[in-house]
Amino acid sequence: MLTALRGRVRRIPEIIGVGPGVWLQGFIEGATLGSDVAPRAPLSALHSEQLGRLFSEMAVIETDELDVDRICLPEDRPEEGDSGGFLAGLVRFTHERVYAEHGAPFRALFERLGVDTAPLEKLALSAERLEPRPFSLLHGDLHRENFIVDPHGDLWTIDWELALFGDPLYDLATHLHLMRYQADEEERICRVWQSAVEAARPGATEGWRHDLPVLLEYKRVQSVYTDVIRGALALEQPEGALDRRTLPEVARQVQLALAAAQEVPGMPTAPALHEVARAYRWWVTSRPSFTASAS
């Protein structure tokens, strides 16, 4: 991916071939935006400009234009410009792969937290109302730890392993969800995105004001499913013991995700922090492996 993007997207790691099949990735000196700028803090004028340039550079890269292998199956790829089909595919992946497959061992925990598939079913219906937008390259994970600020103050973008082709509005929704800007800063970044993407690819921002809330709802719901599973895995210890030191942070992260998503149709009212901690404690201690280790 990085090799294919060379000369098309600025300020990404350099890839150097040093022998047959051997490549080295350049190291970008600096600190992540997360460590350089306080969480939820606004971007500087320079970084806002460079973020807009990144959006515009990706917007002009059309589907199948890069010489890279795509891991998704052809039958799973929506028609070009079908933004509703793109979101429906993401919802289906979250339902089938995250909740039904990877989340199967944690089904009782999901039930204890009041989470089922209702919000995904409602989001699938909302996807049908999205405006069509031409597809382009998406980074897929634009958060503070994936931006490096170099010694000159310039912004570099790393970690492209989640890149995909699809609705350009999805990258904005993902960015806003992960960055957790204040309301006025969020609006400013939306204008940066709209101006940059529309100038680079006319028509690529069509209907964005109407559709952005739907994509943000998906991101909030997606975070609930992944954070519940991630939290459960973080608490696992050899022989089924409960990691009591990790429990407070797991409960905090999951409660924040539930609170952020509680306004999405189909999501439950977020339980209190102590209720989330109790649910995880119950889930770990009720498992056969825990009972065996306790005896």
Side-chain angles (χ1 to χ4, degrees):
M1 171 62 74
L2 291 175
T3 302
L5 292 180
R6 187 163 44 194
R8 306 201 63 170
V9 176
R10 285 172 281 185
R11 297 193 180 89
I12 59 175
E14 183 180 7
I15 299 296
I16 302 172
V18 295
V22 180
W23 301 83
L24 295 179
Q25 178 178 311
F27 177 76
I28 301 172
E29 196 73 41
T32 67
L33 188 63
S35 60
D36 188 67
V37 178
R40 299 178 68 89
L43 295 186
S44 68
L46 174 63
H47 292 165
S48 299
E49 176 192 349
Q50 292 177 339
L51 176 64
R53 189 177 304 143
L54 172 66
F55 282 135
S56 67
E57 289 171 340
M58 291 191 293
V60 298
I61 301 176
E62 302 181 24
T63 306
D64 295 330
E65 195 173 311
L66 296 179
D67 184 20
V68 293
D69 293 330
R70 299 177 65 180
I71 61 174
C72 61
L73 299 174
E75 56 267 29
D76 291 332
R77 300 171 192 172
E79 293 293 326
E80 166 63 31
D82 181 7
S83 300
F86 175 75
L87 177 57
L90 294 173
V91 171
R92 186 167 56 252
F93 180 88
T94 304
H95 190 167
E96 297 176 357
R97 296 291 301 280
V98 179
Y99 179 78
E101 183 178 337
H102 295 293
F106 316 104
R107 193 59 43 78
L109 176 60
F110 277 108
E111 293 174 357
R112 194 83 169 189
L113 294 169
V115 178
D116 56 19
T117 61
L120 292 173
E121 293 161 7
K122 293 181 183 298
L123 279 167
L125 295 175
S126 297
E128 298 174 1
R129 300 192 294 270
L130 296 191
E131 291 283 340
R133 281 174 289 274
F135 286 178
S136 63
L137 175 68
L138 314 178
H139 179 279
D141 200 23
L142 291 174
H143 59 76
R144 294 180 188 273
E145 298 306 313
N146 282 342
F147 289 115
I148 303 293
V149 181
D150 72 14
H152 301 290
D154 289 321
L155 205 62
W156 295 71
T157 308
I158 62 172
D159 290 356
W160 288 81
E161 65 267 21
L162 296 183
L164 69 163
F165 288 100
D167 181 0
L169 188 59
Y170 177 72
D171 244 359
L172 174 64
T174 301
H175 179 69
L176 297 179
H177 174 71
L178 295 174
M179 296 291 280
R180 303 189 186 281
Y181 294 119
Q182 299 291 344
D184 56 345
E185 178 67 358
E186 180 172 300
E187 174 61 26
R188 189 178 71 84
I189 295 301
C190 283
R191 293 196 301 269
V192 168
W193 175 87
Q194 194 277 334
S195 176
V197 172
E198 187 62 29
R201 191 89 173 274
T205 68
E206 185 72 26
W208 76 274
R209 283 281 186 191
H210 175 269
D211 293 348
L212 179 59
V214 178
L215 288 166
L216 284 172
E217 285 185 347
Y218 167 71
K219 294 305 300 183
R220 291 170 187 141
V221 168
Q222 178 196 40
S223 289
V224 169
Y225 294 107
T226 55
D227 285 358
V228 167
I229 296 171
R230 188 180 296 118
L233 293 173
L235 290 174
E236 287 187 349
Q237 285 193 320
E239 300 178 352
L242 172 65
D243 186 347
R244 299 183 183 277
R245 292 179 299 177
T246 305
L247 178 59
E249 179 59 20
V250 165
R252 187 182 75 87
Q253 291 292 340
V254 172
Q255 201 279 332
L256 285 173
L258 286 163
Q262 66 180 348
E263 299 301 324
V264 178
M267 285 296 297
T269 300
L273 180 60
H274 73 275
E275 293 175 310
V276 176
R278 185 187 305 142
Y280 272 97
R281 191 180 296 111
W282 167 85
W283 178 77
V284 173
T285 57
S286 64
R287 298 170 69 198
S289 57
F290 181 87
T291 304
S293 65
S295 61

